[in-house]
Amino acid sequence: MYEGFGIRRSVESFGEAVLDELKDRFEKIDRIAEKNQLKVIAAMQKNKASEACLGTSTGYGYNDLGRDTLESIYADVFHTEDALVRPQITCGTHALSLALSAILRPGDELLSPVGKPYDTLEEVIGIRPAAGSLAEFGITYAQADLKEDGSFDYEAIEKAINERTALVTIQRSKGYQSRPSFSVEQIGELIAFVKKKKPGVKVMVDNCYGEFVEENEPSDVGADMVVGSLIKNPGGGLAPTGGYIAGTKECIELVAHRLTSPGLGKEVGASLGILPSYYQGLFLAPTVTASAEKSAVFAAKLYEKLGFMAIPAGEEERHDIIQALTLKTPEAVEAFCGGIQAASPIDSHVTPVPWDMPGYDSPVIMAAGAFVSGSSIELSADGPMREPYNVYFQGGLTWYHGKLGILMSLEYMVRRGCISEKNLERMAE
Ligand SMILES: *Cc1c(COP(=O)(O)O)cnc(C)c1O
């Protein structure tokens, strides 16, 4: 059947040879998915999710049972006091921006103890000037870079904490960087350190791409807020838009007042018929995340064998669903993305090309043939067109689609002359 997709025999056999080595890995991923599946079902049962919750509300959205129940379910899944889960939160960046601007006041300082934050946050914070940034409101930003080996520089962090430090932001996933992603355990150690240095400081974790990859979440180890996008892991591929913030009662109240209006908070916000996809998406999220993770591990192993650098490495423990591959040339990045696109159920006939995407400082190429536009829990690949020509691969609602996408990416790399077929045949033996 792979031949029907134009995938040559040598690519397929090489893929199968790589897969033979991944059985134990896949079994571990399945065990975590099982635990998270039970966690989600238990939260739904505890909160008495009912058929009535799958209805809709319009206008102000007062007394929206489905919305309020879903937020309690999220709070239970993340073991927090409260949560906001809303279609009015337009994306991950919006959710993060909302959380930052809800907590910080003029004169406060925001600290990132893990180096540079995600590209789009640079404009939110004002590292790159933008209208409405935190900087415009007199909120300053400090950063402690990671050590060369990717570990926390506790000395620099201690120095960066001062009397104005009000919020510490920790990005769990590497995003478009080559640093490692952090385990929940590492994040817990970092939180304990900053809270010991400054009791009362609030900690927010950018949880994008990390949800359900481990048994625990950063909110289990002291984060005051965890923030993410519903078109990534927790939406399970079904949520068509939205974001969430789960955290302490105090934080969520401030965030709700920022999202809607002081005085109104969580009480308003029509759900407009979107709730069935949120409920069912959350229900599917643990297994969807596992599929994405298997795809990532497969990609890492396969490209590593062909001499490319994979971050994380094929054998390394994973803390998110993003797989970075250093492909070294712009041609290879385009070929890789072309293959992922060609394997998609939607828009398989189009060719991805680099473009100047808002919020990013160099042209970005994106491959996505998604049911939900821009969804990166669906099989997708993207990369900024700059040295060292990393491609960031993520998603796969089903493992079999992930497998097809990766084989197709390899086929395209071979066709483009980025990998020699002889080499492939030799390695498959
Ligand atoms: C995706 C992502 C964001 C931003 O989310 P958008 O939905 O693209 O705005 C922020 N941080 C990290 C680590 C992400 O992966």
Side-chain angles (χ1 to χ4, degrees):
M1 287 190 76
Y2 287 109
E3 268 188 297
F5 283 91
I7 294 172
R8 69 194 71 197
R9 271 291 159 86
S10 56
V11 166
E12 188 188 342
S13 347
F14 180 63
E16 291 302 330
V18 171
L19 267 183
D20 275 345
E21 297 175 27
L22 289 174
K23 294 206 172 76
D24 290 351
R25 232 16 231 295
F26 279 26
E27 201 177 304
K28 271 192 202 141
I29 292 171
D30 285 334
R31 292 299 291 182
I32 291 176
E34 184 177 359
K35 287 186 180 155
N36 283 321
Q37 181 73 81
L38 296 181
K39 181 158 79 174
V40 167
I41 294 173
M44 289 188 171
Q45 293 182 349
K46 179 185 163 206
N47 288 283
K48 299 194 165 63
S50 61
E51 198 177 340
C53 294
L54 303 175
T56 187
S57 68
T58 55
Y60 296 106
Y62 288 127
N63 303 314
D64 185 324
L65 174 73
R67 179 197 66 203
D68 294 347
T69 303
L70 181 70
E71 290 179 339
S72 300
I73 290 168
Y74 262 71
D76 279 328
V77 165
F78 287 99
H79 300 127
T80 56
E81 291 169 356
D82 205 351
L84 264 185
V85 187
R86 305 274 170 134
Q88 287 85 9
I89 302 175
T90 57
C91 61
T93 304
H94 184 195
L96 290 158
S97 171
L98 192 62
L100 293 172
S101 54
I103 306 298
L104 292 160
R105 295 290 175 271
D108 282 349
E109 186 158 279
L110 169 69
L111 168 65
S112 169
V114 295
K116 181 175 124 32
Y118 194 73
D119 273 24
T120 57
L121 284 190
E122 294 191 353
E123 284 172 290
V124 171
I125 295 168
I127 301 171
R128 276 186 286 140
S133 70
L134 295 176
E136 283 197 348
F137 288 86
I139 294 157
T140 57
Y141 170 71
Q143 178 175 310
D145 287 329
L146 296 170
K147 289 193 188 166
E148 206 128 297
D149 64 357
S151 64
F152 305 132
D153 187 344
Y154 283 114
E155 225 171 278
I157 295 167
E158 183 165 5
K159 260 197 219 139
I161 296 174
N162 60 46
E163 68 290 347
R164 294 194 302 112
T165 310
L167 183 64
V168 171
T169 178
I170 300 170
Q171 186 180 310
R172 179 173 177 181
S173 165
K174 64 183 163 297
Y176 280 167
Q177 294 176 61
S178 304
R179 64 136 164 115
S181 295
F182 304 124
S183 68
V184 169
E185 191 184 346
Q186 282 175 300
I187 290 172
E189 283 163 17
L190 180 54
I191 294 173
F193 180 83
V194 298
K195 292 214 170 192
K196 190 163 162 227
K197 291 296 157 206
K198 185 160 186 181
V201 74
K202 295 206 167 42
V203 177
M204 174 185 95
V205 173
D206 175 349
N207 210 22
C208 282
Y209 289 130
E211 298 94 347
F212 302 125
V213 171
E214 297 186 38
E215 280 172 41
N216 289 325
E217 299 291 337
S219 39
D220 289 309
V221 294
D224 297 280
M225 289 186 286
V226 286
V227 182
S229 162
L230 296 191
I231 63 168
K232 293 179 179 171
N233 309 16
L238 294 186
T241 186
Y244 78 91
I245 298 152
T248 62
K249 234 187 172 42
E250 183 195 356
C251 285
I252 296 302
E253 189 178 4
L254 286 167
V255 174
H257 281 202
R258 176 60 59 188
L259 173 65
T260 64
S261 159
L264 298 181
K266 291 183 78 182
E267 303 300 316
V268 295
S271 55
L272 301 170
I274 210 165
L275 291 173
S277 70
Y278 283 12
Y279 275 90
Q280 201 173 356
L282 178 65
F283 174 74
L284 292 177
T287 50
V288 167
T289 302
S291 296
E293 229 187 315
K294 287 176 183 173
S295 306
V297 171
F298 181 47
K301 264 284 203 198
L302 183 139
Y303 279 100
E304 233 170 37
K305 280 189 189 295
L306 295 169
F308 298 95
M309 190 169 76
I311 308 170
E315 295 290 337
E316 213 172 309
E317 219 186 309
R318 305 193 63 89
H319 309 300
D320 62 20
I321 63 164
I322 302 189
Q323 183 59 52
L325 300 166
T326 303
L327 298 182
K328 301 184 254 189
T329 64
E331 292 75 33
V333 170
E334 286 189 30
F336 183 96
C337 291
I340 297 296
Q341 187 73 40
S344 302
I346 306 289
D347 288 336
S348 63
H349 52 283
V350 306
T351 305
V353 291
W355 66 299
D356 288 311
M357 197 180 163
Y360 296 84
D361 63 4
S362 52
V364 178
I365 184 167
M366 297 198 156
F371 297 101
V372 170
S373 179
S375 166
S376 46
I377 185 61
E378 296 188 52
L379 192 69
S380 49
D382 38 80
M385 296 305 279
R386 63 180 183 224
E387 295 273 356
Y389 294 100
N390 280 336
V391 75
Y392 297 81
F393 165 89
Q394 67 268 312
L397 296 185
T398 71
W399 149 240
Y400 301 109
H401 180 214
K403 178 178 174 183
L404 174 66
I406 294 148
L407 292 178
M408 199 68 127
S409 74
L410 180 54
E411 171 64 34
Y412 272 51
M413 297 268 277
V414 174
R415 284 187 205 169
R416 192 83 181 247
C418 306
I419 290 165
S420 92
E421 190 174 9
K422 276 219 180 71
N423 193 10
L424 215 57
E425 278 166 353
R426 194 158 34 83
M427 296 204 48
E429 276 162 17

